[in-house]
């Protein structure tokens, strides 16, 4: 593989592949100055240098360089205190007690592939090269290694920073961002994803304002309030047009993505651990590594950005053993029975699952000692004696004897005050002395910054999984953190707890998933309260929301799909009226909202299953038949106008193209809509499964496929109609004709 990294004699560095070029240089003063990030350049080292030197009537950085003002100089890793007033990537207290750092180029090295982070999840390497540039504050002997990884086959740039204290005094870090990007002046917009419980992944687009705009979390989870994702884009960007810079962070805790438009119209993007409430004491000789920030440059709109993310997440982040593994359909007990579960009932549900052709029975919350509602027992992972007298391994065996797989729910990071574990170890929770701990869903958060706690959890979960009959674990986490303090850390290290919690969680997940590589772990945090690349690096799929109403779910999947491939998503047919918003909808549309998610299923009680058996059988058969296609394919958002949504999903081998169309509120006299398919073979013929009609690829893309009409009155035979009324849906399946 030819090197994708070049360095010129005058120390211009370029990272360049067929997707982008990224260029920076060492200035004569030793600063790392950013020069370019965008479309690939044929000679990236030869771009015109903008010297950023003019009389600004402002302070200047170096004596003897009176026109050199850092406040308008694009930089690779800016600090504060030497004439740059924008938010810095590094900030803290140096060995002299003041907060002025100045980082200068010291050395660099280039490695083939990509080094893993030591204690945090990282993107896998492979066909990649990594540039490590070491900066040093010569006065305070702090070094920062900036890592940049470029891949031959992906449009993603991975960055992280490693701080090392080489002095003999303590250094305290407050800002330890992973990456900084300084963009030239321009008209930019930002797209980000915000929400709350059961309303995750709403899209908001705003013009980048003067000043600073931040999406972040201080909740201890990456959170549903703001997913760790931002797209900075050319004004007016659409699905198909516009330059887009996407950024995410491979981290599941308190993060910040900060966008600042400076006084000279330039835009600075910082990605990393949230500096609010963060403080890390770096003893002499010690290092601190940041999570990885991932950047994508796409020049054909949001769709092309999403394609790049999807491929990368699937190939370099998700556990590789599940990359193309068709996922089992499941019957989950939660919305079918809530806490009212027992051995007999579970076996009956297993029979129902079997009858409708579902592959796996998942026993959700409520199976352990004393857990009859959400007020008690988290922490005591022992099966309830009365309701599950023969225990969970025996139940798993019986379920499996019926020809099903078996899955189980845990919420390992939590404890109820009403539990044996809390009675025994009251200091194992996050708390601060002298303050009443706030409860969330009646529970407290275990202190995963302590090894004894993660060791206990490993043993508890291991005891279940070692029976060998568990195929799936739903890993839930149902509250945000408060009173974040640890009895295991000194007073002056209490502001390290949130990050140390994450390190403990990742260590625990790493140990479990390594020991049980064939078990599918599904990431859940009251739905999408911790849906991020950190968690998805251990778990191939996630429960993105508790919202299973199809209208709610459509928006959630649409928003999440900007970054996450549908391979990482699970969806099931829940009850109607929906338990979160009361909406009544058909089984067909409830299924269809999640039709392109890798994992699909139902959470319905026996009566409902019996009442809709034939339809459910049909839909589960469809889920099964399409399960191999729903991993590794390409997802495209074609229409989303508030009342109509159309998605395309193309199988990995490109032989099958699915088109799902949704109409939300019925109305008379609607327009005839067309969906313009994308990425087809122009010259190939595509046959529509339902009636054998044949279309040329280019016609489907350019002329478009007429969408079914929403029937309100009399219907005519020669039209294709949706089911009548609100919340209707339609699935087209096209088979590409084999040219041979
Ligand atoms: C929240 C999850 O999102 C639900 O799916 C369910 O597992 C409950 N927790 C169980 O308490």
């Amino acid at each position: 593989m030819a090197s994708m990294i070049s360095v010129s004699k005058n120390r211009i560095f370029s990272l360049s592949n067929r997707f982008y070029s990224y260029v920076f240089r060492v200035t004569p003063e030793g600063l790392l100055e950013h020069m370019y990030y965008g479309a690939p350049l044929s000679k990236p080292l030869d771009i015109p240098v903008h010297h950023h030197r003019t009389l600004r009537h402002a302070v200047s950085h170096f004596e003897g360089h009176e026109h050199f003002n850092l406040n308008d100089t694009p930089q690779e890793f800016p600090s504060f205190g030497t004439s740059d007033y924008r938010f810095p990537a590094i900030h803290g207290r140096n060995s002299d007690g003041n907060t002025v750092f100045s980082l200068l180029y010291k050395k660099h090295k280039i490695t083939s592939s990509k080094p893993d982070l030591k204690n945090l999840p990282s993107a896998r390497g492979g066909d990649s090269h990594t540039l490590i540039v070491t900066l040093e504050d010569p006065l305070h002997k702090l070094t920062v290694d900036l890592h940049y990884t470029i891949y031959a086959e992906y449009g993603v740039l991975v960055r992280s920073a490693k701080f090392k204290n080489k002095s003999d005094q303590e250094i305290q870090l407050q800002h330890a961002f992973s990456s900084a990007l300084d963009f030239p002046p321009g008209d930019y917009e930002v797209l980000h994803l915000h929400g709350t419980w059961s309303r995750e992944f709403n899209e908001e687009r705003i013009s980048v304002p003067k000043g600073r705009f931040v999406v972040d979390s201080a909740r201890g989870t990456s959170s549903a309030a703001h997913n760790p994702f931002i797209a900075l884009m050319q004004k007016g960007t659409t699905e198909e047009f516009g330059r887009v810079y996407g950024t995410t962070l491979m981290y599941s805790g308190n993060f910040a993505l900060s966008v600042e438009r400076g006084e000279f119209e330039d835009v600075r993007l910082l990605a990393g651990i949230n500096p609010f409430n963060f403080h890390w004491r770096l003893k002499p000789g010690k290092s601190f590594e940041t999570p990885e920030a991932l950047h994508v440059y796409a020049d054909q709109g949001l769709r092309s950005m999403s394609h790049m993310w999807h491929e990368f997440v699937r190939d370099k982040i998700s556990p590789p053993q599940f990359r193309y593994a068709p996922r089992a359909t499941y019957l989950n007990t939660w919305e079918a029975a809530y806490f009212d579960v027992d051995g007999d009932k579970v076996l009956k549900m297993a029979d129902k699952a079997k009858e409708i052709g579902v592959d796996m029975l998942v026993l959700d919350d409520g199976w352990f000692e004393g857990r009859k509602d959400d007020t008690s027992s988290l922490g005591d992972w022992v099966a309830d004696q009365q309701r599950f007298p023969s225990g969970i391994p025996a139940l798993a065996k019986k379920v499996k004897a019926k020809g099903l797989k078996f899955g189980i729910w845990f919420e390992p990071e939590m404890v109820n005050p009403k539990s044996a574990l809390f009675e025994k170890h009251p200091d194992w929770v996050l708390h601060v002395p002298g303050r009443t701990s706030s409860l969330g869903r009646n529970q407290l958060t275990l202190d995963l910054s302590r090894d004894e706690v993660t060791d206990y959890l490993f043993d508890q979960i291991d005891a279940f999984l070692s029976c060998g009959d568990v195929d799936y674990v739903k890993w839930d986490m149902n509250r945000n953190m408060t009173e974040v303090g640890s009895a295991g850390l000194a007073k002056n290290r209490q502001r390290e707890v949130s990050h140390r919690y994450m390190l403990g969680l990742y260590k625990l997940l790493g140990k479990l998933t390594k020991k049980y590589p064939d078990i599918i772990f599904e990431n859940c945090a009251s739905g999408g309260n911790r849906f991020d690349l950190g968690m998805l690096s251990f778990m191939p799929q996630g429960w993105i929301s508790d919202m299973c109403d199809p209208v709610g779910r459509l928006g959630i999947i649409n928003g999440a799909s900007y970054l996450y491939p549908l391979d990482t998503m699970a969806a099931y047919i829940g009850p109607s009226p929906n338990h979160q918003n009361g909406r009544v909808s058909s089984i067909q549309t409830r299924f269809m909202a999640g039709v392109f998610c890798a994992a699909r299923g139902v959470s319905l009680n026996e009566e409902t299953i019996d009442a809709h058996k034939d339809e459910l059988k049909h839909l589960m058969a469809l889920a099964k038949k399409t399960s191999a296609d729903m991993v590794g394919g390409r997802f495209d958002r074609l229409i989303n106008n508030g009342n109509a949504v159309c998605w395309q999903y193309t199988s990995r081998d490109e032989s099958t193209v699915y088109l799902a169309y949704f109409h939300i509120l019925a109305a008379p006299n609607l327009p005839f809509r067309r969906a313009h398919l994308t990425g087809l073979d122009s010259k190939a013929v595509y046959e529509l499964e339902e009636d054998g009609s044949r279309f040329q690829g280019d016609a489907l893309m350019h002329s478009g496929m007429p969408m079914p009409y929403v029937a309100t009155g009399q219907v005519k035979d020669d039209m294709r109609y949706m089911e009548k009324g609100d919340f209707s849906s339609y699935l087209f399946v096209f088979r590409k004709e084999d040219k041979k």
Side-chain angles (χ1 to χ4, degrees), residues 334 364-365 371 409 441 474 476 478 524 526-527 543 546:
W334 183 239
D364 208 285
D365 200 351
R371 183 73 167 174
W409 176 97
R441 209 195 188 203
K474 181 170 175 186
D476 204 349
N478 284 305
C524 176
S526 297
W543 184 240
D546 278 345

Side-chain angles (χ1 to χ4, degrees), residues 233-296:
M233 47 202 194
Q234 180 183 356
K235 198 171 181 174
T237 290
T238 66
E239 283 286 356
E240 289 160 278
F241 304 103
R243 290 189 290 276
V244 188
Y245 298 89
T247 293
T248 188
L249 197 69
M250 203 159 160
Y251 192 57
S252 315
N254 297 336
F255 75 94
L257 294 168
S258 156
V259 180
E260 181 172 8
R261 194 173 173 90
E263 62 186 302
F264 303 114
E265 309 285 331
D266 42 72
V267 172
R268 170 168 295 170
L269 194 152
L270 297 174
I273 294 174
N274 193 351
F276 170 71
N277 218 13
F278 171 79
H279 190 263
W280 195 270
R281 307 183 89 94
L282 205 55
K283 291 275 179 216
K286 292 284 180 202
S287 311
F288 181 82
E289 63 180 9
T290 69
E292 290 182 343
L294 280 64
H295 304 287
V296 146

Side-chain angles (χ1 to χ4, degrees), residues 516-657:
Y516 298 102
D518 298 330
I519 294 181
I520 288 245
F521 282 75
E522 183 169 306
N523 170 41
C524 176
S526 297
N529 198 40
R530 196 170 59 185
F531 199 87
D532 53 66
L533 296 191
M535 295 307 285
L536 291 174
S537 70
F538 298 99
M539 311 197 189
Q541 64 195 44
W543 184 240
I544 53 168
S545 180
D546 278 345
M547 173 50 71
C548 291
D549 162 67
V551 180
R553 195 86 178 184
L554 275 182
I556 290 165
I557 294 177
N558 207 81
S561 76
Y562 283 110
L563 171 58
Y564 305 101
L566 274 72
D567 309 49
T568 63
M569 298 182 201
Y572 62 51
I573 303 170
S576 173
N578 176 269
H579 291 179
Q580 328 308 346
N581 67 8
R583 182 173 286 130
V584 175
S585 60
S586 67
I587 290 215
Q588 145 92 8
T589 299
R590 272 177 274 158
F591 172 77
M592 281 287 292
V595 65
F596 297 152
C597 293
R600 292 156 296 177
V602 300
S603 187
L604 298 170
N605 61 26
E606 291 169 57
E607 297 75 59
T608 315
I609 292 179
D610 284 340
H612 298 275
K613 195 166 286 168
D614 289 343
E615 193 178 6
L616 288 168
K617 256 182 171 171
H618 166 73
L619 293 173
M620 290 303 106
L622 179 61
K624 215 169 174 145
K625 187 171 149 204
T626 55
S627 61
D629 280 349
M630 295 309 153
V631 280
R634 200 186 66 229
F635 177 78
D636 288 290
R637 297 170 297 267
L638 302 187
I639 299 175
N640 181 15
N641 68 11
N643 207 32
V645 172
C646 185
W647 293 333
Q648 178 182 334
Y649 190 94
T650 309
S651 65
R652 185 160 65 103
D653 62 5
E654 303 197 336
S655 65
T656 309
V657 177

Side-chain angles (χ1 to χ4, degrees), residues 312-378:
F312 191 79
V313 170
R314 185 188 296 134
D315 294 354
K316 298 292 180 187
I317 307 279
S318 287
Q321 67 274 33
F322 300 112
R323 180 152 69 145
Y324 300 131
R327 307 292 160 75
T329 52
Y330 57 65
L331 190 164
N332 177 300
T333 57
W334 183 239
E335 289 190 74
Y338 291 100
F339 295 98
D340 188 14
V341 281
D342 60 47
D344 290 343
K345 197 167 195 170
V346 169
L347 290 175
K348 274 195 203 132
M349 289 174 112
D351 289 335
K352 292 289 153 201
K354 197 77 195 148
E355 282 172 32
I356 56 169
V358 154
D359 304 318
M360 175 159 70
L361 190 285
V362 174
L363 175 54
D364 208 285
D365 200 351
W367 57 266
F368 42 101
E369 193 68 56
R371 183 73 167 174
K372 294 203 177 91
D373 54 33
D374 64 12
T375 59
S376 83
S377 309
L378 288 173

Side-chain angles (χ1 to χ4, degrees), residues 205-216:
R205 290 170 76 129
I206 51 165
S207 288
V208 174
K210 279 273 178 59
R212 207 159 69 82
F213 170 76
V214 188
V215 297
D216 68 359

